[in-house]
Amino acid sequence: MPKPGQTAATALVIASMIGTGVFTSLGYQLFDLVSGPQIALLWAIGGAVALCGAFCYAAVAEAHPSSGGEHHFLTVLFHPALGFMAGLLSAIVGFAAPTAASAIALGEYLHASFPDVPVKTTAIAVILLGTLAHAFSPTTSARVQIVATGIKLALIAAFISATMFLPGKGDIPWSIQPARDLAGIWSPAFAVALYFVFYSYSGWNAAVYGLEEWERPARTVRRALVGGTLFVTLLYIALNVSFLLAAPVEALKGQNAVGEIAATQLFGKDAGRVVSCLFAIGLFASVSAMLWAGPRVLAAMGRNVPALRFLTPGGGAPRVPLMIQTALAILFTLLTGFRELVVYTQTGLTLCTLLVAAGVFRLSGKKPIVAAAIFLAFTAFVIVRSVIAEPVAVGAGLATALACALVWFLLPRSSS
């Protein structure tokens, strides 16, 4: 059976990135940012940092071309305990919790369109549907991901096009005033807004988790990471501009479902409900992407850790890891809400990506030093800023990371 190639890998990256963040962040940025150019620059900076991370991961993937993502990279670059930490964090925090968060967001969008549709029941049904789609073979998974991502992109492109031709109700100023805009960029509020943008860009590294399953893996991963990140950056800027053109600032400010609000302002209540429903369908691609990537990490851990050998698939799709991630995602869906999941997950994920970028300096030969330095500076800032803003949630995330690393020392070192 032929291996998936460039199209499937890029689709996975794009689908992993375009999730709940871009449909929820703008409402909070509008409390402190007062012009369209400031918002556009904010999203451009987030894309530039993600692109630096993509170059770092591509270099590490070329030097150490095995599946498993941060679990594999940190094992070979630093220490198996850090690799084990990254693997458990990926399984628990990196994929299961965001799978639940995206499914809950999908349920909330459908509930906004059809109030009789229960949010969490819908979320669980979507998780089970995605699990079924990925339980057969890597080729089937790739096809599902390509189709789901194509639907999502078509919906977003249609919305962006509509804002170009229909009269919107946006009232944010678009004139460039250097004194005002530069003051806003250097303000603490801009730094806080950037934190939410980083969350929206998470997923740019998705193609490395099943690296060995791609055709010509090193080249495929590099092109998927870089090309997917560039594409999403342009799309994010265009989508946020569209939201601002469609709806007034006061209607968007402080709201989660900015896509629904913008669609209602642009098309009217009934048509906006339909568009909101279509956005919800598009979010299935995000759930699908995480259900594809996450089990590959657990499968890689099964190959590397004798005590977890039962996670290694005999061939085809990694069904046991997939079932574990599905069970965890459903548990998160039942026990918590969207905001709590986002805050808890971000710390561990940012820590792992920071360590992989630091590993670039341990590579031999040509390496993206400038990209690594930029990425390290910005991700370190995000961690420090999040500790100040959310000490309890971030402390829980750091405690989870430490506990995952310590578990490695308790495991037997042989399969006997």
Side-chain angles (χ1 to χ4, degrees):
M1 186 174 292
K3 291 184 176 182
Q6 186 68 55
T7 302
T10 305
L12 178 66
V13 171
I14 292 172
S16 298
M17 294 175 72
I18 305 175
T20 55
V22 73
F23 292 105
T24 57
S25 299
L26 180 63
Y28 298 98
Q29 296 161 6
L30 289 172
F31 278 115
D32 300 291
L33 303 182
V34 297
S35 74
Q38 284 180 344
I39 297 289
L41 181 59
L42 176 74
W43 288 91
I45 291 174
V49 175
L51 185 62
C52 289
F55 281 118
C56 293
Y57 269 62
V60 176
E62 186 173 2
H64 303 286
S66 294
S67 298
E70 290 88 1
H71 163 68
H72 169 65
F73 294 157
L74 296 183
T75 296
V76 297
L77 289 171
F78 295 108
H79 191 276
L82 288 179
F84 187 84
M85 175 195 77
L88 278 188
L89 284 176
S90 293
I92 299 172
V93 175
F95 292 103
T99 298
S102 293
I104 291 172
L106 189 157
E108 289 177 345
Y109 263 87
L110 280 181
H111 180 74
S113 299
F114 305 99
D116 292 335
V117 175
V119 173
K120 292 200 172 183
T121 301
T122 302
I124 292 172
V126 166
I127 293 170
L128 292 175
L129 178 62
T131 300
L132 180 64
H134 290 290
F136 294 100
S137 70
T139 301
T140 302
S141 293
R143 290 171 180 167
V144 169
Q145 199 57 57
I146 290 172
V147 172
T149 304
I151 292 173
K152 174 189 282 190
L153 293 178
L155 294 172
I156 293 175
F159 181 82
I160 293 172
S161 299
T163 61
M164 296 173 62
F165 297 102
L166 296 177
K169 300 178 182 178
D171 57 2
I172 196 169
W174 289 97
S175 61
I176 298 177
Q177 298 180 19
R180 177 199 63 192
D181 294 336
L182 289 176
I185 291 171
W186 291 111
S187 69
F190 193 85
V192 175
L194 193 59
Y195 171 78
F196 291 101
V197 169
F198 282 171
Y199 168 73
S200 302
Y201 275 101
S202 60
W204 50 262
N205 53 349
V208 302
Y209 294 105
L211 197 150
E212 296 172 65
E213 296 182 25
W214 304 121
E215 180 184 5
R216 304 181 68 177
R219 189 185 75 165
T220 295
V221 164
R222 175 177 289 275
R223 292 184 176 182
L225 295 183
V226 175
T229 302
L230 282 172
F231 178 84
V232 170
T233 299
L234 296 176
L235 194 68
Y236 273 3
I237 295 172
L239 185 57
N240 278 279
V241 168
S242 297
F243 289 154
L244 293 171
L245 292 175
V249 169
E250 289 303 317
L252 296 169
K253 188 180 295 185
Q255 301 298 314
N256 278 327
V258 293
E260 177 203 355
I261 293 168
T264 300
Q265 293 282 338
L266 189 65
F267 301 109
K269 185 175 181 180
D270 292 335
R273 179 182 300 175
V274 175
V275 174
S276 178
C277 181
L278 293 176
F279 277 147
I281 295 172
L283 283 171
F284 174 75
S286 302
V287 176
S288 172
M290 285 176 281
L291 287 169
W292 184 94
R296 270 69 185 174
V297 178
L298 285 175
M301 292 179 69
R303 290 193 296 270
N304 297 332
V305 182
L308 302 179
R309 197 73 72 195
F310 69 95
L311 295 173
T312 306
R319 293 186 181 90
V320 173
L322 177 60
M323 296 304 123
I324 292 173
Q325 180 172 328
T326 298
L328 287 171
I330 291 174
L331 184 64
F332 278 121
T333 300
L334 293 172
L335 295 181
T336 188
F338 173 75
R339 184 184 182 280
E340 292 82 359
L341 286 171
V342 171
V343 174
Y344 174 67
T345 58
Q346 190 64 15
T347 304
L349 300 180
T350 304
L351 177 63
C352 289
T353 55
L354 182 147
L355 290 172
V356 173
V360 166
F361 295 94
R362 299 177 66 90
L363 300 178
S364 58
K366 187 178 180 181
K367 46 194 175 184
I369 298 296
V370 175
I374 294 173
F375 187 80
L376 286 171
F378 274 94
T379 51
F381 162 78
V382 167
I383 292 176
V384 172
R385 177 63 188 82
S386 61
V387 168
I388 297 171
E390 299 278 358
V392 175
V394 174
L398 292 175
T400 301
L402 177 60
C404 290
L406 293 176
V407 167
W408 182 85
F409 295 97
L410 303 177
L411 292 174
R413 296 291 178 264
S414 66
S415 56
S416 58

